[in-house]
Amino acid sequence: MKKIYSSALSISFYGILLNLFLTVLKIVVGILGNSQALVSDGIHSSSDLLSSLFVTVGIKLSIKPTVVTIVVSLILAFTALVLGYNAICDIMIGSHEEKLPTTLAVITSAIPFVSKEAFSRFEKVMAKKFSSKALEADAIHHSADALVSLGVFVGVIFGHFGYPFMESLVSFVISLLILSIALKMFDKNFIKTYNF
């Protein structure tokens, strides 16, 4: 039991390190590479840090797994609403940068998608192996983040070639997908926790 607990804790710690690395990478390259989308995604990654920290604390303090999952789903839902709101504002107001994203921004924007999807798949396998609902919730969150990163990647490519409007449209669609994932997670675990 102690070995399972220790392994789950190590995996969640790796998630924290990944989110910290991606937060810094996206913000720095976004600024240097003229990509507001990458900077925004970097700020979004800071909320992922918060979520991963909560999962780690949840495992360490043995907080009921469904409670951890509910909190992660609420963080996801909040992130989706913020992303959706920003995308709508960009579409309505036409808030697109004058300088187009550089090739460096395009290449860098692919890294978060690949790393998040790979880590999500790894964490899902480990969650099943250790029967950890907290790791399973974190894996779903990483998978949702991979979707966001894919949207940012596509948006940065469009921006690079002179179509920044598509970046906002893709972000809005991604926000709806994340909100759907969050609501399903919340509904399933809220019912389980409170026996509805």
Side-chain angles (χ1 to χ4, degrees):
M1 186 70 178
K2 192 175 180 182
K3 187 181 177 185
I4 291 173
Y5 162 82
S6 177
S7 298
L9 205 57
S10 296
I11 293 162
S12 65
F13 181 70
Y14 294 142
I16 290 170
L17 291 178
L18 176 62
N19 285 324
L20 181 61
F21 167 72
L22 291 176
T23 298
V24 174
L25 179 72
K26 291 173 189 176
I27 292 173
V28 171
V29 175
I31 292 168
L32 296 175
N34 302 323
S35 176
Q36 186 57 46
L38 211 49
V39 173
S40 298
D41 197 27
I43 294 166
H44 160 242
S45 287
S46 64
S47 75
D48 299 337
L49 255 177
L50 177 67
S51 178
S52 292
L53 282 168
F54 185 78
V55 168
T56 303
V57 169
I59 292 169
K60 191 142 180 82
L61 300 180
S62 300
I63 296 172
K64 197 172 180 183
T66 49
V67 173
V68 174
T69 306
I70 288 169
V71 172
V72 170
S73 71
L74 291 173
I75 293 171
L76 262 179
F78 176 75
T79 302
L81 292 172
V82 170
L83 284 172
Y85 174 77
N86 289 339
I88 289 170
C89 287
D90 284 351
I91 291 167
M92 305 263 300
I93 300 167
S95 171
H96 306 297
E97 54 265 66
E98 290 177 14
K99 293 181 179 177
L100 298 177
T102 63
T103 304
L104 174 66
V106 173
I107 293 167
T108 303
S109 65
I111 295 170
F113 169 68
V114 173
S115 59
K116 281 285 190 173
E117 187 58 32
F119 192 79
S120 172
R121 288 170 189 245
F122 165 72
E123 203 168 29
K124 279 176 187 170
V125 170
M126 294 297 106
K128 190 175 277 190
K129 180 179 178 181
F130 300 126
S131 300
S132 173
K133 289 288 180 189
L135 285 181
E136 184 183 337
D138 202 38
I140 292 169
H141 190 169
H142 281 294
S143 189
D145 292 338
L147 273 178
V148 173
S149 295
L150 178 61
V152 169
F153 175 59
V154 170
V156 171
I157 288 173
F158 275 112
H160 180 69
F161 289 105
Y163 302 99
F165 171 82
M166 288 300 296
E167 186 175 350
S168 303
L169 195 58
V170 168
S171 292
F172 180 70
V173 172
I174 296 297
S175 72
L176 292 178
L177 289 171
I178 293 171
L179 187 60
S180 171
I181 291 167
L183 291 175
K184 283 176 188 170
M185 278 176 70
F186 179 83
D187 185 47
K188 180 181 170 187
N189 288 280
F190 190 81
I191 290 168
K192 200 180 284 184
T193 303
Y194 296 102
N195 298 316
F196 285 129

